[in-house]
Amino acid sequence: MENTRFTQGTEQLKAIDGKRGENVINSLEDKAPDLGKFIVEFAFGDIYAREGLTTEEREMIILLNILCFLLKQLPYLSNLQFLLPPPL
């Protein structure tokens, strides 16, 4: 039986990231093959293959989520300023 999630995910990965995306997944084969399979099946096979949003809309949502996460971390990151060298 063919794994449709993996097949759909592979098609989405190729359409979105092309050869670069395939290289990332292939680089995980030695270290964490299950992680590569999970990324293809879940992120690209389940999430990106859903109907309702365009690829551009999905990518905008991802960028906004990352931005919100980073902005929430700013108060904690400012406590690490003592690790930086003093200004000249």
Side-chain angles (χ1 to χ4, degrees), residues 25-36:
I25 299 301
N26 291 338
S27 72
L28 295 172
E29 279 297 318
D30 296 339
K31 299 169 190 78
D34 290 338
L35 178 60

Side-chain angles (χ1 to χ4, degrees), residues 47-66:
I47 305 300
Y48 273 100
R50 288 183 186 166
E51 295 179 9
L53 295 173
T54 65
T55 301
E56 291 81 14
E57 291 169 331
R58 289 177 205 282
E59 290 178 350
M60 182 63 71
I61 291 168
I62 290 168
L63 288 174
L64 289 172
N65 279 319
I66 292 169

Side-chain angles (χ1 to χ4, degrees), residues 15-82:
I16 294 168
D17 292 327
K19 190 68 175 166
R20 211 171 22 149
E22 290 180 53
N23 290 342
V24 170
I25 299 301
N26 291 338
S27 72
L28 295 172
E29 279 297 318
D30 296 339
K31 299 169 190 78
D34 290 338
L35 178 60
K37 183 179 176 190
F38 174 76
I39 291 170
V40 171
E41 288 180 345
F42 178 70
F44 291 94
D46 291 343
I47 305 300
Y48 273 100
R50 288 183 186 166
E51 295 179 9
L53 295 173
T54 65
T55 301
E56 291 81 14
E57 291 169 331
R58 289 177 205 282
E59 290 178 350
M60 182 63 71
I61 291 168
I62 290 168
L63 288 174
L64 289 172
N65 279 319
I66 292 169
L67 179 62
C68 288
F69 174 77
L70 291 175
L71 288 175
K72 185 152 176 89
Q73 302 305 314
L74 283 178
Y76 303 110
L77 296 176
S78 65
N79 293 331
L80 300 177
Q81 65 185 346
F82 68 90

Side-chain angles (χ1 to χ4, degrees), residues 2 5-16 40 44:
E2 185 178 333
R5 289 175 67 210
F6 189 80
T7 303
Q8 284 180 333
T10 302
E11 291 170 6
Q12 289 292 326
L13 178 66
K14 287 179 184 176
I16 294 168
V40 171
F44 291 94

